[in-house]
Amino acid sequence: MTNLILIVIGAVLVNNFVLSRFLGICPFLGVSKKVETATGMGMAVIFVMTLASMITWVVQYTLLEPFNLDYLKTITFILVIAALVQLVEMTVQKIAPPLYEALGIYLPLITTNCAVLGAALINIQEKYSFLEATVFGFASAIGFTLAIVIFAGLRERIELCEVPESMKGVPIAFITAGILALAFLGFAGLVK
Amino acid sequence: MSILLSSIIIVGGLGLLASVGLSIASIYLSIEVDPRVEKVESALPGANCGGCGYPGCSGYAKAVVLNDADISLCAPGGQGTIELLAQIMDKKVQLKEKLVARVHCNGTDANCERKMVYEGMKSCRAAYLLTDSTKKCLYGCEGLGDCVASCSFDAIVMGPGRIPIVNEAKCTSCGKCVEACPKNLITLEPEKTRLYIACSNPEKAKAVKDACKVGCIACGLCEKKCPKGAITIENGNPVWDHKKCDNLGVCAAVCPTGAIHDIRKMIPKAHIDPKKCTGKGECVKVCPVRKCIEGEEGKTHKVNKDLCCGCGLCVPVCPEKAITLKEGKAKLQKTA
């Protein structure tokens, strides 16, 4: 049990996917203009990442390892994740059209989101069990959501501030992201 | 089993599984799109000008079908598009008057002097922000062509006196130039009204006269003499009641400063003298309107009078001096 709690804290705070591993920067900067859409994106990532961690774990240990196809795991995982995202996209479009419109291009972009693939590969690298892998995937996605929602909140406020002309828009967002990453550096060493 | 075969089977099998799964899911999760959206979108002109207030033509098509938006908002499409939309949406055809952009200033370099030499950015807005007005008249056209640049339909060209000229046949009344003009000199008016005031200066007569030769001094003659009572003076300039105006042209005739323009007379058309023309083609090169001047090189050229905007750019370039500007015929252009 302690093991799982450590994995959660490690994935959410210490080794946050966006702010310390620097994975999944594209949606982090792209969909973080409004808290609402950022939360939606976070939910989509939580769903996809947890499911992807589970399925890729099963694929790794039932198909790839027994047949000594470990070297194919990257391409296989991409295939599995791509199919999964397609499924999520269709489901979201059917169930929540406003969310679908709000996420726009970024939903299909989860397909090539390095955060999702990263989580799947780290699971294998760290030799996690099925339960650990699932928890890690879920916690990493929570970490992503936390980062993107905090960032979206900051950007909403910056929008109302007087920013120098040359810094308006994306430049100030990059600086904010850097400072946020520095703040998360404070968690370093919390979990070994 | 060789590693080659097993890798092909496993990765291929996974791909097959995913594709079958997705195709089954697409049946259960399919979404019905209203086929009318596509029809409406194809009926729209596709200019994506945003004149309707929606993000592009596809946005307007969705609004028409799903949110029951007004079908008469598409300015570039005109009456034809409204009829098509009415057919698709099963609605009544609304008659819409064609509007055209009109420039309410005639302060050409000859009529209204510049009080400074402006060497800055070639944009009316920039000049306006920096200087308020580079002309003696505070309300005069800067002549740097923000409206020309804003027009997606090539309907505005800069005339020789640095006052823009609107080609009414091409104008779709999208309203982009109205927004572009920093001095609010352009408005949309019904095409059928052939008279308009070419001045926006609301100041007293003396101030106007000092600034410009052809400014409106708000003398009120047009208001008094109009047989239909269609004109009232508001804020130092005449305002038309377009329902009453019958295009009699009395106002333009009595105006002491010539500030009221009668489009039938004011827009001249270029005319090429067939005896003098040698077909060098210099006029074709400078003409801003496509296919306005016709004729092959070496043969006599002809001006398409319907397209000519009367800008007069072709007059000085003709080596044979064969081109003259003639007053336009007093007839109404056909409304599309």
Side-chain angles (χ1 to χ4, degrees), chain A residues 29-41:
Chain A
L29 288 165
V31 209
S32 57
K33 273 195 182 142
K34 277 193 207 155
V35 173
E36 227 171 275
T37 46
T39 318
M41 183 74 192

Side-chain angles (χ1 to χ4, degrees), chain A residues 97-109:
Chain A
L99 181 62
Y100 177 78
E101 297 251 317
L103 290 175
I105 183 72
Y106 294 99
L107 194 57
L109 272 184

